Amino acid sequence: MAVYVAEHANGDATNSWHGKAAIADYMEDDKPVIPGLVYKAASVDKLVTICIDCFDENGDVVDKSPFPRVFFLMHKWFLTSEELAVRFLDLYKTCPAVLCKSSCTHRIDDADCKRHQYRCRICQTVRYWISHFPVHFDLDKSLASVMWNLQKHIQEDGCTKLKNMVDISNVPSYDWIRHISVRNSSIRRNRKVSLVFNHLEPNELADHLTFLEYKIFRRLTFSDFKSYASYTQLKDNPKLERSIALFNGLSQWIQCMVLSRTTPKQRAEVVTKFVDVARRLRQLQNFNTLMAVVGGLTHSALARLGKTNGYLSSDIQKTLSEMTELLSSGGNFCNYRKALQEGKGFKIPILGVHLKDLITIHTAFPDRLESDMINFRKMSQLSMTIEELTQLHNATPPIEANMDLVNMLKASLDLHYTEDEIYELSIAREPRTSTSSPPTPTKPGVFADWASGVNTPPDTETINKHVHAMVEAVFKNYDHDRDGFISQEEFEAIAGNFPFMDSFCVLDADKDGMISKSEMKTYFIRANYHALRSSFKHDFHEHTYFKPTFCVHCTGLLWGLIKQGVKCKTCGINSHKHCKDLVVMECRSKSTSCTHGQSNGSVDGIPAKDVTLDTKRKMSIRQKKTHVNQQATQTEGSENQDENKKEQRHGNAIAEVEDEDDIENYGESYEEEVDLKERLVRTEQARDLLSTENERLQKQLRAAEEKINTLQNHISTIRQHTITFILEQMDTLHLQKDSEV
C-alpha cells in the first residue's frame, strides 16, 4: 500500500493550486476489487480530481478506466449529488491561470491553453455523468439548479460547445420511479389472454408475473438500497417493502391455490402447473420470482402432503429438486450466483440475497479510513452489488403484457394469510398420519431471512386501487353484453383465481341473480381484511334432519332416522360424522355479521333493522322451547309424584321429538313466508317498472305512427305533382312535333 500527497499525485501542479498543506490524500490498493481501480482510499477532493483526470479533451475515458462509473454510481454514499456538482462548479470557476505559460492569452480558441483544456475535461466529466446516470438529474431539483448555474458561467465565457455538454434539458422523465402510481407509457401493452387460472397457460402466467416483478423492481433506487443497508429495516422504505410483500404474497398465493383443491390429484395438477411456471421463469432469468414460486412449492405446508406428492410425475419431482438446488443457500447461494453471472441480457436478481450482501459489506468495513479519507475499496465492493440491482432501470422485459391479467394478479396476491393459517388448512386437507409431520410450519431452504419478517397486509389505499383495477378488468373481459353485471356462469370461470372465495350468492348481495361492480368491489375489499380469519374451526353437534340433506365435504346424503349427521351451531353447515374432521370451509358467521347502534329498537339485544332471517328463526325456536317447557311444568304439578316421574320421562321423550319436528317445520314455514313476501315485493316493483316502460313505449309508438302517416301524405302529394309534371312535358313535346310537321 502506498500513501501519496497532493503535490506528487501527478507530474504537474494540477492538484496543488488550492494552496493546501501537503497531506496524504489517497492510498493505493495492492489487490484491487475491480481491475483498474487502484485506489483504496482518498479524500473527496482527490476523488473528484481523479475522476476528471480519467477524461481527455474529446470526452474519451483514458485506458477505459472503470473509475468514473463506480464513482458516479456510489458518490451518494458519502456526499449528495448537489455537493458533487458544486465541487465541479467551483473547479470550473477557480481554475487558475498558473497552469498555462506566461504568454498564454487564455482564449477559448487557443489549443495550447491548459486552463481551457482542464475546463473541457470538467465538462466532459459532467457530460459522462449526465449520459450514464440521467435519473440523478431528473429526480434531484437542487442538482438541476447547480447545473443551470454551471451553464450560466460557461455562457459568460462564450463557449457554446461546453455549455451544450452540460445541458440537462433533454434528460428523460423518471416520474415512474418517484411516484409508484405513474406508469411508463412505453411499456404498456394489451393483448388478449385468458384471465381464468384453470385456462391460463404456465408460460403466460410466468410472463405476467415477470412483468409485475419488473415494474416494482425497477422503481427501487440507490437511496432505497442504502437506507436498508444502513438501518437493516423497512421503515420509511415503501418501495422496497412493496417488493418484498409481492415476494411473500406470491409464495402464499401458490400454497393457497394448491390447498384450495379438494382431492390429491387436483392439488398435484396445480403443483405441476406451477413447476412449469418455474421453468419459464428460469428461461426468463427472473430469479427473484423463481425463488418465490419454488419457496411456496417447497414450504412445509405443501411438502408434507404425501398423497398429493404421490400424483406428481418423476419429471416434475426432478425439476422441482433441480430448482431447489439452484436456489439453495448452501455456499452463500453459490449455484444461483454462478447462474446469474453466466446469464446475459434481461435478468432479475434475487433481491434478498443482494440486500444481505450490502448489509455484510457495510457492517464489515467503515465508510472512512485514516485522515477522513473515503474507503473507496468498500465503494467498489458495494458498486458491484448495486449495479446488479439497478440494471433494470434501462432494461425492457422480453414479454408482452396484458394489463387486465396484471391487475387480476395484483388483486389475487394482495390477499393476506399467515403461515399458521395455511398450515392449519394443510392439516385439514391431509391429517397427520405419523409423527414425521412437524406440528408447526417450517420455512424451506430456499427462503432468505429478509423475506420472512415482512408479512404485513397492504394498506387500504393499495388494496382499493388493486381491487378497482381488477374488477374493471373482469367486467371488461367477461361482461359480454356490457350491462354492468356478471352472471353466475361467468363468475364460476373467474372464481378459480381466488382460493377459498365465497359462492355466487354471497357476492350477490341484493339477490337479483347478477353481480354488479360495486358488489364485487365490496366483497374483495372486505375479503382482504378477513381472509382466512377465524380459521376453519366449526362447532359441530349431532342433529336430526327432517328433509333430505347432503354433506358439504363428500356431497353424500345424510342417511338415518335420527341424528343422521352433525351441524355447525355457528355457520350452519352439515356433514357426516366421519367427515366433520375433513371439512375445509371457513366458519364465516363472525366475519359476515354487522354491529350497529340500537337506534331503531332491538330484539334480544340485536337491532331490529339488522335481524336476519337466521336470527329470526333462532328467536322463534327459543320461544317455542319456552312454551313447551311451560306446558310440561303445568302438567307436572297436577299429578301425583310417582306417576309424574314416569309420565315426565315419557312426556319429555315425546316432547323432544315433537319439539324438534315442530321447530323445524315452524322455521321452514317462517322462511317460506318471509321469502314469499320478499318475492312478492320484488314482483310488484318489477310490475310497476314494466308498466311505466310500457306506457313510454306506447307513446313512442303513437308518435312514430303519426310521423309515418305524415310522410305517406307527403309522398302522395309528391307523386301527384310528379305525374302532372311528366304529363305536361309530354304534351309540350307533342305540340313541338306537330308544329314541325
Side-chain angles (χ1 to χ4, degrees):
M1 179 182 68
V3 181
Y4 291 82
V5 296
E7 286 91 345
H8 304 290
N10 287 317
D12 52 27
T14 301
N15 299 293
S16 61
W17 27 267
H18 290 293
K20 296 182 180 179
I23 58 174
D25 63 351
Y26 82 96
M27 295 185 293
E28 288 188 352
D29 195 350
D30 298 333
K31 297 180 180 180
V33 177
I34 299 177
L37 287 183
V38 297
Y39 303 99
K40 179 179 181 180
S43 64
V44 175
D45 290 333
K46 180 60 180 178
L47 291 175
V48 174
T49 302
I50 294 173
C51 187
I52 295 174
D53 291 340
C54 288
F55 294 89
D56 58 20
E57 291 81 0
N58 298 322
D60 297 327
V61 180
V62 179
D63 297 331
K64 297 181 180 181
S65 172
F67 184 91
R69 180 165 188 84
V70 174
F71 176 73
F72 285 119
L73 175 65
M74 296 303 304
H75 76 274
K76 289 186 179 182
W77 201 276
F78 48 87
L79 80 164
T80 65
S81 296
E82 180 186 7
E83 293 172 342
L84 177 59
V86 168
R87 292 177 185 270
F88 283 123
L89 176 60
D90 292 341
L91 286 175
Y92 183 90
K93 292 191 299 183
T94 60
C95 184
V98 71
L99 296 174
C100 303
K101 298 178 180 179
S102 58
S103 60
C104 181
T105 59
H106 307 306
R107 295 172 56 88
I108 60 175
D109 56 352
D110 186 359
D112 296 329
C113 179
K114 298 295 184 181
R115 184 173 69 173
H116 181 66
Q117 292 176 2
Y118 194 76
R119 285 180 171 176
C120 285
R121 295 209 304 272
I122 293 175
C123 293
Q124 294 288 4
T125 304
V126 175
R127 185 184 68 85
Y128 178 92
W129 186 11
I130 297 173
S131 60
H132 286 77
F133 301 93
V135 63
H136 294 173
F137 298 87
D138 181 64
L139 299 182
D140 192 340
K141 299 303 180 183
S142 58
L143 171 61
S145 177
V146 177
M147 296 306 300
W148 290 117
N149 196 10
L150 175 60
Q151 281 187 288
K152 178 182 176 181
H153 282 83
I154 297 175
Q155 182 67 33
E156 292 175 354
D157 293 338
C159 189
T160 306
K161 180 180 178 181
L162 297 184
K163 177 177 176 290
N164 294 333
M165 286 185 186
V166 297
D167 183 19
I168 61 172
S169 59
N170 295 324
V171 170
S173 174
Y174 287 86
D175 278 342
W176 51 270
I177 289 182
R178 184 187 299 110
H179 305 296
I180 296 180
S181 60
V182 177
R183 290 194 180 98
N184 187 350
S185 59
S186 64
I187 60 175
R188 291 194 66 183
R189 300 175 176 85
N190 210 44
R191 59 192 180 87
K192 192 69 176 178
V193 296
S194 174
L195 304 186
V196 182
F197 177 81
N198 293 336
H199 301 161
L200 190 61
E201 293 296 326
N203 286 0
E204 290 284 359
L205 180 56
D207 290 350
H208 285 78
L209 288 174
T210 298
F211 181 80
L212 188 58
E213 183 76 66
Y214 161 76
K215 286 186 62 181
I216 296 178
F217 208 104
R218 72 197 299 259
R219 286 186 167 93
L220 299 175
T221 63
F222 180 92
S223 300
D224 298 323
F225 300 131
K226 180 187 176 185
S227 174
Y228 187 79
S230 301
Y231 304 107
T232 64
Q233 59 183 0
L234 297 173
K235 184 180 180 181
D236 300 326
N237 201 339
K239 289 182 285 188
L240 188 58
E241 184 174 3
R242 183 178 177 185
S243 178
I244 297 175
L246 173 66
F247 182 99
N248 290 334
L250 175 58
S251 177
Q252 292 177 346
W253 181 65
I254 290 172
Q255 297 172 52
C256 291
M257 288 299 293
V258 174
L259 295 173
S260 65
R261 301 307 192 260
T262 56
T263 66
K265 184 177 181 181
Q266 293 173 341
R267 292 193 290 273
E269 292 173 352
V270 178
V271 172
T272 300
K273 187 169 188 174
F274 279 116
V275 171
D276 292 335
V277 169
R279 287 172 174 168
R280 174 59 176 168
L281 292 173
R282 178 64 182 89
Q283 294 175 358
L284 294 172
Q285 301 185 112
N286 181 0
F287 295 100
N288 200 56
T289 306
L290 176 63
M291 190 175 198
V293 172
V294 176
L297 293 175
T298 57
H299 194 275
S300 59
L302 300 186
R304 60 170 299 277
L305 301 178
K307 296 179 181 179
T308 301
N309 295 329
Y311 282 93
L312 298 177
S313 65
S314 57
D315 180 58
I316 293 297
Q317 293 179 353
K318 179 182 177 182
T319 301
L320 186 57
S321 177
E322 291 174 351
M323 295 293 182
T324 304
E325 182 65 22
L326 171 66
L327 303 175
S328 173
S329 59
N332 194 18
F333 296 92
C334 60
N335 294 332
Y336 154 70
R337 294 181 190 275
K338 180 180 178 181
L340 182 67
Q341 185 177 7
E342 294 175 350
K344 304 297 181 182
F346 178 85
K347 52 186 176 181
I348 301 179
I350 300 177
L351 180 60
V353 173
H354 298 283
L355 287 179
K356 291 182 67 176
D357 290 344
L358 292 178
I359 294 175
T360 301
I361 297 173
H362 179 61
T363 55
F365 304 102
D367 289 344
R368 296 178 183 268
L369 300 180
E370 56 187 76
S371 301
D372 203 34
M373 288 189 291
I374 303 299
N375 187 350
F376 203 73
R377 178 182 175 85
K378 174 182 177 179
M379 300 300 118
S380 302
Q381 291 175 309
L382 291 172
S383 69
M384 293 187 293
T385 300
I386 292 181
E387 190 166 11
E388 195 71 58
L389 293 173
T390 57
Q391 54 89 21
L392 284 177
H393 284 176
N394 300 313
T396 302
I399 55 178
E400 293 184 1
N402 179 284
M403 294 308 301
D404 293 336
L405 180 54
V406 170
N407 292 330
M408 177 73 77
L409 289 174
K410 284 182 181 179
S412 301
L413 302 181
D414 277 345
L415 293 177
H416 173 66
Y417 314 110
T418 66
E419 290 188 354
D420 290 337
E421 290 168 339
I422 296 175
Y423 196 77
E424 184 178 353
L425 176 58
S426 174
I427 296 296
R429 285 299 188 201
E430 294 188 19
R432 296 190 184 96
T433 56
S434 66
T435 58
S436 60
S437 181
T440 57
T442 57
K443 299 179 181 65
V446 298
F447 268 121
D449 295 336
W450 61 276
S452 60
V454 181
N455 200 24
T456 305
D459 58 273
T460 304
E461 182 180 357
T462 302
I463 290 175
N464 292 341
K465 182 178 67 175
H466 289 178
V467 168
H468 176 79
M470 182 274 297
V471 171
E472 293 295 332
V474 168
F475 275 80
K476 175 183 176 181
N477 289 272
Y478 289 94
D479 183 17
H480 302 298
D481 52 6
R482 297 295 184 265
D483 62 347
F485 295 92
I486 292 292
S487 66
Q488 185 170 1
E489 182 179 359
E490 295 165 343
F491 168 80
E492 296 298 335
I494 63 176
N497 292 25
F498 302 92
F500 318 114
M501 189 176 185
D502 284 303
S503 61
F504 177 85
C505 61
V506 175
L507 274 75
D508 184 17
D510 55 7
K511 308 303 179 185
D512 60 350
M514 305 290 282
I515 298 177
S516 64
K517 286 186 179 180
S518 61
E519 289 174 336
M520 185 172 288
K521 290 177 183 177
T522 300
Y523 171 81
F524 277 106
I525 290 174
R526 189 186 75 244
N528 275 279
Y529 298 110
H530 301 287
L532 280 180
R533 297 302 184 265
S534 301
S535 187
F536 300 84
K537 298 178 181 179
H538 296 271
D539 186 11
F540 285 117
H541 71 291
E542 292 183 338
H543 187 75
T544 299
Y545 300 91
F546 298 94
K547 59 181 179 181
T549 307
F550 299 88
C551 175
V552 295
H553 176 70
C554 66
T555 68
L557 180 66
L558 302 180
W559 291 93
L561 297 177
I562 60 173
K563 298 181 179 180
Q564 301 96 323
V566 292
K567 187 181 188 71
C568 178
K569 291 182 178 180
T570 307
C571 65
I573 65 170
N574 308 297
S575 170
H576 287 112
K577 296 177 183 178
H578 59 272
C579 290
K580 67 178 183 178
D581 294 331
L582 304 177
V583 171
V584 181
M585 181 178 294
E586 185 177 357
C587 196
R588 287 190 171 270
S589 65
K590 293 182 180 180
S591 61
T592 57
S593 63
C594 300
T595 302
H596 301 279
Q598 301 185 12
S599 58
N600 296 329
S602 62
V603 180
D604 287 352
I606 302 175
K609 63 179 181 180
D610 295 327
V611 178
T612 61
L613 180 61
D614 185 60
T615 305
K616 293 176 180 178
R617 179 178 177 180
K618 291 180 179 179
M619 289 189 297
S620 64
I621 291 174
R622 288 198 297 269
Q623 294 173 357
K624 187 69 176 178
K625 286 184 176 180
T626 303
H627 179 68
V628 172
N629 291 335
Q630 290 176 352
Q631 288 182 344
T633 302
Q634 293 174 359
T635 303
E636 181 183 49
S638 63
E639 302 197 359
N640 294 329
Q641 185 175 7
D642 295 337
E643 295 178 356
N644 186 26
K645 291 182 179 179
K646 298 178 181 179
E647 291 181 2
Q648 182 181 358
R649 290 193 295 267
H650 179 68
N652 286 342
I654 296 175
E656 287 178 359
V657 177
E658 291 178 349
D659 177 42
E660 291 180 351
D661 192 7
D662 292 341
I663 290 173
E664 190 74 15
N665 294 334
Y666 184 86
E668 292 173 1
S669 63
Y670 188 87
E671 289 179 352
E672 293 175 355
E673 290 175 2
V674 174
D675 182 62
L676 180 60
K677 183 178 179 180
E678 293 176 350
R679 289 166 57 188
L680 287 174
V681 171
R682 289 198 297 268
T683 303
E684 290 176 356
Q685 293 175 349
R687 183 189 62 187
D688 295 338
L689 291 175
L690 290 174
S691 177
T692 303
E693 182 69 13
N694 185 39
E695 292 177 359
R696 186 180 66 82
L697 292 175
Q698 287 181 352
K699 290 180 180 179
Q700 292 181 354
L701 180 60
R702 287 194 294 268
E705 290 176 350
E706 292 177 358
K707 290 181 180 179
I708 291 173
N709 292 332
T710 302
L711 290 174
Q712 288 178 345
N713 293 333
H714 289 171
I715 292 173
S716 299
T717 303
I718 293 172
R719 184 184 294 113
Q720 292 176 359
H721 289 304
T722 303
I723 293 174
T724 301
F725 176 78
I726 293 174
L727 291 176
E728 290 176 355
Q729 293 295 322
M730 292 177 65
D731 292 338
T732 303
L733 291 173
H734 286 305
L735 290 174
Q736 291 178 354
K737 289 182 179 181
D738 292 340
S739 300
E740 292 175 359
V741 173

